[in-house]
Amino acid sequence: MSKVEAAIDIRPFHVDIAEAELSELRDRIAGTRWLSRELVTDRSQGVQLATITELARYWETEYDWRRAEAKLNAVPQFTTEIDGVDIHFIHVRSPHEDALPLIMTHGWPGSVIEMIDSVGPLSDPTAHGGSAEDAFHLVLPSLPGYGFSGEPIEIGWDLGRTARAWAELMTRLGYTRYVAQGGDVGAGVTDAMGRQAPEGLIGMHTNLLVPALNGPMPTSTDEERAAAAQIATFRQSGNGYFVEMATRPQTIGYALLDSPIALAAWMADHDTDAYYKIARAFVDGQPSGNLTRDHILDNITLYWLTGKGGSAARSYWEAYGPDAPAASQQPLPPPAIPFGFTTFPGEIWRSPRSWVEASYPNVIYFNEVDKGGHFAAWEEPELFATEVRAAFGSLR
């Protein structure tokens, strides 16, 4: 495809939600049929009633979507059709022309909203205490079936297919040398890009160690055994959402499209660290970093207004489900390109450097930081940006 043809395929995008949709959302929240209080004092039975009722009260009576809408429209947004699906993406060119192009991928239950506060530190580091040499041209796509991207209408949109779409997107934008970053599902897409080794991709960074979910890792040291125990705990009592979406996404999808409170509870119950931070933000008025009540609801409201709870759930069936086409595919060899990794203390498990080096043959950066969790770019955008800059510093 020529650059002229590619330019025609890329269309500006502007968010403009009708007021009637916001009124309907508030009416649905007000009409919620509430479950009785949990019979335990922790989250072992799921999202606690005190947390979700305070979230609902704030959502219905105080939350303002227009602020989030303005924030999205303050950055350049576009759509383009790739492989039959309209892909929405934010594209911010740095004021520094020699900036390194970077494509960053969100996960579930996230969206481009979780990355938007890292745009400034990454694209214009001189305004945030950094140097021009640290700048990136940013491409932040919405995963197929998430946010303002279209829903796939056929099976087969696994991590590898999304990775190929991202390589095509970077080509359409004219980037011939670039790097990739991701967390959660985005780490899976980034890992797949590295294994596919598209022309132009020169390095990658993640904050979730994807190979650790695919099989046993070494347990020779105390650090390795602690990480293995954290993964075992997650698999035993923390991955209910994962199993449901990977095996029966259609079933949970009906609730996610019909009830905003079902959607909010489902999205809040991702991992222990993130859940308690969300609970403290609403119940105690004590946000953790950038995980404020408004920012949490920006993300949930985006899922509601775009109606993507069900299609996002299907993405887990595609990527991890035993009945999906991807389940029969043999994994590609580990990527040979440079790899960087940051482990955040609140992640589902803290990945030891030994695991990272056992998974990727060309580790050029590893760092453990002292704050932040699974949604690192969202909770600690400045720290996250610092890590991304450091990971790719040697590739400039």
Side-chain angles (χ1 to χ4, degrees):
M1 177 178 290
S2 72
K3 288 187 177 180
V4 173
E5 290 171 324
I8 294 172
D9 282 339
I10 296 173
R11 304 173 297 277
F13 182 84
H14 183 83
V15 183
D16 186 16
I17 301 298
E19 188 60 36
E21 294 185 53
L22 302 176
S23 295
E24 184 201 22
L25 168 58
R26 289 188 288 268
D27 289 344
R28 283 177 176 264
I29 297 169
T32 301
R33 294 178 64 192
W34 290 104
L35 183 64
S36 58
R37 184 186 178 280
E38 66 280 356
L39 304 179
V40 293
T41 58
D42 57 19
R43 73 177 287 256
S44 59
Q45 288 191 339
V47 174
Q48 294 158 295
L49 184 64
T51 298
I52 198 67
T53 52
E54 179 55 25
L55 182 152
R57 184 204 64 78
Y58 187 83
W59 201 5
E60 180 191 354
T61 63
E62 296 186 44
Y63 173 72
D64 180 14
W65 164 257
R66 297 302 182 194
R67 181 193 50 77
E69 191 173 81
K71 197 170 185 178
L72 283 166
N73 287 331
V75 292
Q77 299 175 84
F78 304 89
T79 61
T80 187
E81 183 181 318
I82 301 177
D83 200 6
V85 174
D86 273 344
I87 299 298
H88 164 265
F89 62 99
I90 292 169
H91 183 203
V92 178
R93 284 193 59 85
S94 170
H96 307 288
E97 278 304 311
D98 293 334
L100 180 63
L102 165 64
I103 183 166
M104 292 204 306
T105 310
H106 67 84
W108 184 91
S111 65
V112 292
I113 281 176
E114 73 181 85
M115 296 178 165
I116 204 164
D117 285 320
S118 65
V119 166
L122 288 170
S123 65
D124 191 10
T126 56
H128 296 264
S131 63
E133 291 75 24
D134 292 331
F136 295 93
H137 298 308
L138 292 178
V139 180
L140 312 179
S142 296
L143 288 164
Y146 288 69
F148 295 109
S149 282
E151 291 188 18
I153 59 173
E154 61 181 1
I155 62 171
W157 271 95
D158 56 17
L159 300 174
R161 189 167 176 179
T162 301
R164 289 189 291 274
W166 280 193
E168 168 63 20
L169 175 59
M170 295 305 276
T171 297
R172 289 189 188 185
L173 294 174
Y175 293 130
T176 58
R177 183 178 182 272
Y178 62 93
V179 292
Q181 198 285 330
D184 192 80
V185 174
V189 173
T190 302
D191 176 84
M193 290 183 74
R195 293 171 191 271
Q196 292 169 2
E199 185 176 357
L201 180 63
I202 63 167
M204 51 192 285
H205 172 269
T206 72
N207 47 283
L208 183 83
L209 191 64
V210 174
L213 288 172
N214 298 332
M217 301 295 284
T219 53
S220 301
T221 68
D222 288 343
E223 190 180 24
E224 290 173 345
R225 285 189 286 272
Q230 288 178 314
I231 293 177
T233 298
F234 171 70
R235 286 177 169 152
Q236 180 179 8
S237 62
N239 70 340
Y241 75 91
F242 189 106
V243 173
E244 178 72 16
M245 295 198 298
T247 58
R248 293 294 186 271
Q250 193 75 9
T251 302
I252 189 62
Y254 298 116
L256 303 181
L257 269 288
D258 186 64
S259 166
I261 297 304
L263 176 67
W266 189 250
M267 293 174 67
D269 199 18
H270 179 273
D271 67 275
T272 299
D273 178 74
Y275 169 74
Y276 281 123
K277 287 171 179 174
I278 291 170
R280 285 195 297 271
F282 283 99
V283 177
D284 303 321
Q286 297 177 354
S288 176
N290 214 35
L291 280 178
T292 65
R293 292 181 298 183
D294 285 324
H295 289 160
I296 292 162
L297 285 172
D298 289 345
N299 187 55
I300 297 172
T301 306
L302 176 64
Y303 271 74
W304 176 262
L305 295 174
T306 58
K308 295 296 172 46
S311 55
R314 287 191 202 124
S315 76
Y316 268 62
W317 184 91
E318 291 281 10
Y320 313 111
D323 299 319
S328 62
Q329 297 174 4
Q330 292 297 315
L332 296 172
I337 63 172
F339 178 79
F341 187 83
T342 302
T343 182
F344 290 85
E347 185 54 271
I348 299 171
W349 72 92
R350 296 191 68 163
S351 295
R353 181 173 191 136
S354 58
W355 282 13
V356 176
E357 292 178 340
S359 303
Y360 297 97
N362 191 6
V363 177
I364 61 168
Y365 182 81
F366 175 87
N367 194 31
E368 295 184 55
V369 295
D370 60 2
K371 57 183 178 179
H374 186 76
F375 303 100
W378 196 7
E379 184 181 351
E380 299 289 345
E382 294 276 358
L383 175 59
F384 173 79
T386 298
E387 286 301 300
V388 173
R389 290 196 296 262
F392 295 124
S394 65
L395 300 181
R396 294 180 179 277

